[in-house]
Amino acid sequence: MRDFLQAVAALIGPAHLLTDAADTAPYTLDWRRRYQGLPLAVALPGSTAEAAELVKLCRRHQVAIVPQGGNTSTCGAATPDASGRQLVVTMRRLRAVRRLDADNNAITVEAGATLREVQLAAEQAGRLFPLSLASEGSCQIGGNLSTNAGGVAVLRYGTMRELTLGLEVVLPDGRVLDALAGLRKDTTGLDLKQWFIGAEGQLGLITAATLKLFPLPSARATALIGVDDIETAIRWLNGLRQRFDNRLTAFEVIEADCQQAIARHRPGQLPFTAPWLLLIELSDGGDDAALNEALLDWLAGQTPRDGVVAQSEAERRKLWLLREEISEIQKQDGPSIKHDIAVPTSALPQLVRDCGAALRQAYPGVRIVAFGHAGDGNLHYNISYTRPGNVDLFDDEPAVNAIVYDHVYRLGGTLAAEHGIGQLKPQWLERYKDPLALELMRTLKAALDPERLMNPGKWL
Ligand SMILES: Cc1cc2nc3c(=O)[nH]c(=O)nc-3n(C[C@H](O)[C@H](O)[C@H](O)COP(=O)(O)OP(=O)(O)OC[C@H]3O[C@@H](n4cnc5c(N)ncnc54)[C@H](O)[C@@H]3O)c2cc1C
């Protein structure tokens, strides 16, 4: 391995190859602290050409690559194994905006730019890059693409898959696929960029992307509303869609157990509680007053338990902060068995009712901390309870998962709506995914990466 490391240091510069344990430590542990790896080293190439040569070197020396972005994956997708033989490759040095074509509503950025940096670059040109996640200050475009990230504005703008016009990818043999064109239409064969979106770094190293931009909204109306049940929440979702169409930008829910966790860790910040809280946002190109009035007018015809409509940008930020801090609050609240599930929005009430009843029967006293993007049918559905005798909660993880996923699949859902599979869920993918779909994905993997050097030990 010494020859290999010397060759890498000569290629990217010794300062950009981290080998000391103290330097590699931040890259070895996943965000939830569930997976601890031991890498051979961490490499930070400074250009696409360097990344391509690095991949060729890895192939020559049969060194496996674990691509890592901001390391915010919640399922261990970017964590190396414990063999001490895998090379973590991060794009942190590749973060330039290569081109911003405002007239084409497109931006070409390098994969190591954080999501926040891309949002800001778009804003400076009077445009919106609408992907929005609580981790946006740390996660990178390469990671967002590789997980097909979603977030709070999918309802209106779609996931990363819909937001991508083109990609630049270093293939596992070191060749560079340049498919960065900013086209909205192209019928010259298969759409190759889609192979790499959601692939969790198992098919290649993404080095740059051309992404869609949108007009910056000039008006926003944001409300926090309390309702009695999830049935009412879904009725509201459809009513708001009918009235406001795609001006409905976000529709998030926070259920009662989750509100209690917020109250425990951020006392006094929830203005009120209810069985379900809805965080609703509209946006358009008009003015705030008119949009607020339209929302208030619609609300006047409903019967919420309680509600508040933000009257200023500061109030709006405060409402969003409540939602954005939930993942961090849950981390402080102790371990939980996490699910990132989605069903058709019409099936959410049945899921909440039936799955909740099954869990309560199996685990009396269970806390079901449910929150998330109900407008997309996506719930973060996290289970915790105190086990008698202080037994580890995760001993029950397989049984809890089986209850949750059986209900989800019975309703036509998915076990990974936006966080991916990583190291956490491969066995569940095997159990629930159509075998033919898995076979086709593996055929692609074998064709592109026959030596299995791209992020091995994950799900492909
Ligand atoms: C507080 C919090 C809130 C979150 N909220 C959301 C949310 O609302 N919606 C959502 O979708 N996710 C959310 N996430 C999950 C996470 O932030 C996303 O999955 C994000 O897209 C991961 O980006 P990253 O740069 O951190 O990737 P990493 O965690 O570093 O990597 C994720 C995967 O991408 C691969 N990868 C990274 N860079 C590259 C590259 N250049 N080329 C090829 N493969 C690469 C890695 O190998 C790994 O498989 C949240 C996470 C946290 C901690």
Side-chain angles (χ1 to χ4, degrees):
M1 282 299 153
R2 195 184 302 155
D3 286 358
F4 169 73
L5 289 174
Q6 275 174 355
V8 175
L11 174 69
I12 63 177
H16 306 303
L17 178 67
L18 314 180
T19 50
D20 285 354
D23 296 331
T24 59
Y27 303 85
T28 60
L29 184 64
D30 78 303
W31 189 82
R32 287 179 65 200
R33 303 194 188 105
R34 270 196 89 170
Y35 299 99
Q36 171 76 62
L38 176 70
L40 170 65
V42 177
L44 293 85
S47 65
T48 300
E50 274 186 18
E53 286 309 310
L54 177 64
V55 170
K56 285 181 192 161
L57 261 179
C58 288
R59 193 172 183 209
R60 209 170 303 139
H61 290 261
Q62 289 292 293
V63 171
I65 293 172
V66 180
Q68 192 177 102
N71 198 18
T72 65
S73 162
T74 54
C75 55
T79 314
D81 69 15
S83 66
R85 299 180 60 82
Q86 298 187 330
L87 183 73
V88 172
V89 177
T90 170
M91 298 290 136
R92 276 167 206 258
R93 290 174 66 216
L94 269 93
R95 57 203 308 157
V97 174
R98 288 195 192 162
R99 179 175 155 83
L100 196 155
D101 184 349
D103 289 340
N104 189 36
N105 282 301
I107 186 170
T108 301
V109 289
E110 293 184 333
T114 65
L115 174 53
R116 188 70 196 125
E117 285 168 347
V118 175
Q119 292 167 343
L120 287 174
E123 260 171 59
Q124 276 161 15
R127 296 290 185 275
L128 173 78
F129 180 60
L131 190 78
S132 178
L133 326 177
S135 55
E136 63 200 24
S138 314
C139 64
Q140 298 176 6
I141 290 302
N144 298 150
L145 288 158
S146 302
T147 55
N148 185 25
V152 295
V154 170
L155 186 57
R156 175 162 179 180
Y157 298 102
T159 64
M160 204 55 176
R161 209 177 272 295
E162 284 96 43
L163 295 172
T164 304
L165 295 172
L167 284 189
E168 179 185 84
V169 186
V170 178
L171 300 177
D173 64 7
R175 286 178 299 168
V176 178
L177 175 72
D178 179 351
L180 281 173
L183 298 173
R184 280 165 174 80
K185 283 184 166 178
D186 180 6
T187 53
T188 56
L190 299 183
D191 189 356
L192 298 185
K193 66 178 181 289
Q194 296 297 350
W195 293 3
F196 302 93
I197 299 175
E200 295 187 28
Q202 296 170 103
L203 297 180
L205 204 50
I206 298 171
T207 45
T210 302
L211 305 170
K212 286 184 194 169
L213 300 180
F214 295 82
L216 255 186
S218 49
R220 287 192 167 99
T222 308
L224 186 73
I225 305 289
V227 296
D228 285 327
D229 45 44
I230 188 74
E231 285 81 2
T232 311
I234 297 305
R235 232 182 5 259
W236 277 52
L237 171 66
N238 288 317
L240 284 160
R241 270 192 179 140
Q242 182 66 30
R243 168 70 179 84
F244 295 103
D245 197 4
N246 72 356
R247 287 191 290 169
L248 178 62
T249 311
F251 188 92
E252 300 284 306
V253 294
I254 306 173
E255 135 330 317
D257 279 334
C258 187
Q259 294 166 44
Q260 283 174 20
I262 297 175
R264 275 195 294 281
H265 295 274
R266 303 287 187 277
Q269 287 193 15
L270 269 177
F272 52 85
T273 58
W276 288 83
L277 293 181
L278 315 181
L279 182 56
I280 296 164
E281 187 158 282
L282 308 177
S283 63
D284 70 13
D287 64 77
D288 281 339
L291 197 57
N292 257 346
E293 207 175 295
L295 180 57
L296 284 168
D297 184 52
W298 187 84
L299 288 171
Q302 315 301 318
T303 47
R305 270 174 90 106
D306 215 333
V308 55
V309 177
Q311 296 302 316
S312 64
E313 180 56 21
E315 282 183 21
R316 176 181 165 267
R317 284 297 329 141
K318 229 169 140 182
L319 292 182
W320 272 109
L321 199 61
L322 283 172
R323 165 65 188 87
E324 285 162 6
E325 288 201 325
I326 293 175
S327 298
E328 193 57 50
I329 286 171
Q330 274 232 283
K331 212 172 168 181
Q332 295 164 14
D333 208 40
S336 61
I337 300 172
K338 291 196 189 300
H339 305 101
D340 164 39
I341 51 180
V343 293
T345 49
S346 51
L348 261 183
Q350 193 179 344
L351 177 79
V352 167
R353 201 174 44 243
D354 295 355
C355 189
L359 286 167
R360 283 186 192 96
Q361 189 180 18
Y363 303 100
V366 65
R367 288 195 304 281
I368 304 174
V369 176
F371 65 97
H373 319 300
D376 316 321
N378 176 195
L379 276 189
H380 301 310
Y381 192 79
N382 301 335
I383 311 302
S384 57
Y385 50 88
T386 312
R387 274 278 233 113
N390 261 346
V391 183
D392 190 345
L393 174 75
F394 291 115
D395 288 352
D396 284 338
E397 191 170 33
V400 169
N401 285 353
I403 293 175
V404 173
Y405 295 150
D406 278 356
H407 281 86
V408 165
Y409 277 83
R410 222 173 284 143
L411 293 168
T414 174
L415 62 91
E418 56 176 20
H419 290 171
I421 304 297
Q423 301 185 49
L424 185 64
K425 304 175 205 160
Q427 68 282 27
W428 300 102
L429 194 70
E430 285 301 324
R431 176 160 159 181
Y432 291 100
K433 189 86 183 171
D434 173 8
L436 180 56
L438 279 176
E439 186 189 317
L440 291 175
M441 289 189 225
R442 288 186 175 129
T443 304
L444 193 57
K445 170 78 174 171
L448 288 182
D449 184 19
E451 289 158 296
R452 306 185 63 77
L453 292 176
M454 290 303 306
N455 212 1
K458 305 302 186 305
W459 51 273
L460 255 184

